[in-house]
């Protein structure tokens, strides 16, 4: 029997990962620790609650008492707990430093205190900054450019320092843009799907030519599982499916699947410091016999269908004051612009 603590497990990728562990390993016990901030929800793990191998704990990774009590009773810790939305980090960097850096410190301290426990830090391909050409290997320098990615890069350095200094058994994954069911509708794909379903504009930043590498959430979870079980201690692993697409192409596919008009896609003022391209070299992970199972077109169709048939899930989120406050603060004044004529 193995006991795995999944922090941030009521969020998007974390909840899929907790479910993946329980479905894949009958003898595992999984505990989710989640602060249930705006992006975490018990509805994401409602189906797991009755499983005797599963436990949920409401708490914050910044709280050393809570974290110590849980870490001492688990073999492995997989840390998804984080503020993750780049746009929010531009409005409010402080909460990113608090959770994404200080929270990792609290977790690492508990792992250090209770001996050798594998600690997996879920990081991001954004730590490389924009990769204008080619593909970043794990040895590429870290050049984060947003408060979000700078926080995640800082956390990584802390994790590496605990591995080097205290011999802690750590692994780091750097995942690319992930999509699928249950993703909070502030990220581009769920925002665009739900806006299109409501016949509302799809706000495309700048000229929409920025490139992201899209991976379906289940493929991302299997990749994390592979690194958790087989990753070399102290190792870093890129995760990406090689679906490099321009944002405009993704937006066009969404309206096409939904049978809506492309006129819903509206260019708006760009995100400050917007990274133009991310692309990671995933040879290291592929050598561990991982490869993505989902083609982007299939994953996107599946995701669109999920949002179409779960309107109560995202309509409830979108009707909340918190969501509307962020949306009006961020998008208000981002009036439609003609591509190429932005400031
Ligand atoms: O690359 C991995 C990262 O992917 C994760 O570490 C982050 O947590 C996750 O938020 C995501 O970061 P991005 O900034 O790439 O994701 P987002 O969905 O916010 O944006 C994807 C692209 O779409 C990006 O180029 C900005 C653009 N975009 C986004 C929004 C929300 C728009 O054009 N309009 C929008 O309204």
């Amino acid at each position: 029997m193995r006991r795995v603590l999944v922090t941030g497990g009521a969020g998007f990728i974390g909840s899929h990962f907790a479910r993946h562990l329980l479905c894949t390993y009958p003898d595992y016990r999984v505990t989710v620790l989640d602060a249930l901030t705006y992006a975490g929800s018990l509805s994401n793990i409602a189906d797991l609650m009755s499983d005797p191998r599963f436990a949920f704990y409401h708490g914050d990774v910044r709280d050393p008492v809570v974290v110590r009590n849980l870490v001492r009773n688990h073999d492995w810790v997989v840390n998804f707990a984080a503020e993750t939305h780049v746009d929010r980090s531009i409005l409010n960097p402080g909460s990113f430093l608090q959770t994404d850096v200080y929270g990792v410190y609290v977790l690492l301290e508990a792992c250090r205190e209770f001996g050798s426990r594998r600690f997996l830090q879920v990081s991001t391909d954004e730590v490389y900054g924009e990769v204008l050409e080619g593909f970043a290997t794990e040895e590429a320098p870290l050049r984060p450019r947003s408060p979000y990615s700078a926080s995640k890069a800082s956390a990584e350095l802390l994790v590496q320092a605990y591995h080097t200094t205290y011999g802690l058994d750590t692994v780091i994954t750097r995942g690319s843009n992930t999509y699928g069911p249950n993703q909070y509708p502030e990220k581009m794909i769920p925002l665009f799907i739900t806006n299109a379903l409501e016949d509302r504009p799809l706000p495309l930043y700048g000229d929409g030519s920025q490139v992201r590498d899209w991976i379906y959430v289940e493929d991302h979870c299997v990749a994390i599982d592979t690194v958790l079980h087989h990753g070399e201690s102290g190792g870093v692993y890129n995760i990406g499916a090689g679906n490099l697409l321009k944002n405009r192409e993704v937006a066009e596919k969404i309206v096409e699947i939904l049978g809506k008009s492309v006129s819903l896609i509206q260019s708006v003022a760009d995100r400050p410091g917007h990274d133009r391209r991310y692309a990671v070299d995933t040879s290291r992970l592929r050598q561990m016999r991982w490869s993505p199972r989902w083609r982007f077109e299939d994953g996107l169709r599946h995701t669109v269908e999920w949002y179409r048939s779960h309107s109560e899930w995202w309509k409830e989120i979108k009707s909340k004051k918190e969501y509307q406050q962020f949306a009006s603060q961020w998008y208000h004044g981002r009036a439609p612009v003609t591509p190429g004529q932005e400031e």
Side-chain angles (χ1 to χ4, degrees), residues 84 124-126 148 177 188 203 205 212 247 271 274 331:
T84 65
T124 169
D125 64 355
E126 299 200 11
Y148 162 68
N177 280 67
M188 186 184 82
Y205 297 157
R212 297 290 183 268
N247 291 339
R271 167 190 281 175
H274 196 171
Y331 289 100

Side-chain angles (χ1 to χ4, degrees), residues 156-210:
E156 280 199 24
L157 296 180
L158 211 50
V159 172
Q160 299 285 33
Y162 271 65
H163 173 73
T164 308
T165 310
Y166 306 114
L168 208 73
D169 179 11
T170 63
V171 274
I172 293 172
T173 58
R174 293 182 182 148
S176 69
N177 280 67
T178 308
Y179 69 99
N182 296 88
Q183 187 171 27
Y184 192 85
E186 64 186 352
K187 304 286 200 271
M188 186 184 82
I189 286 187
L191 176 72
F192 284 10
I193 294 172
T194 55
N195 277 15
L197 283 167
E198 292 180 305
D199 292 308
R200 294 176 47 210
L202 278 48
L204 190 66
Y205 297 157
D207 62 5
S209 66
Q210 303 82 8

Side-chain angles (χ1 to χ4, degrees), residues 192 201-206 248 262-268 335-337:
F192 284 10
L202 278 48
L204 190 66
Y205 297 157
R248 181 175 291 282
V262 283
S263 64
L264 281 180
I265 303 171
Q266 292 188 5
S267 292
V268 300
V337 293

Side-chain angles (χ1 to χ4, degrees), residues 134-135 211-214 242-246 249 277-280:
F135 297 84
V211 172
R212 297 290 183 268
D213 174 1
W214 295 97
N243 295 311
L244 271 65
L245 290 163
K246 292 183 176 153
E249 293 172 325
R277 180 175 179 271
Y278 298 138
V280 283

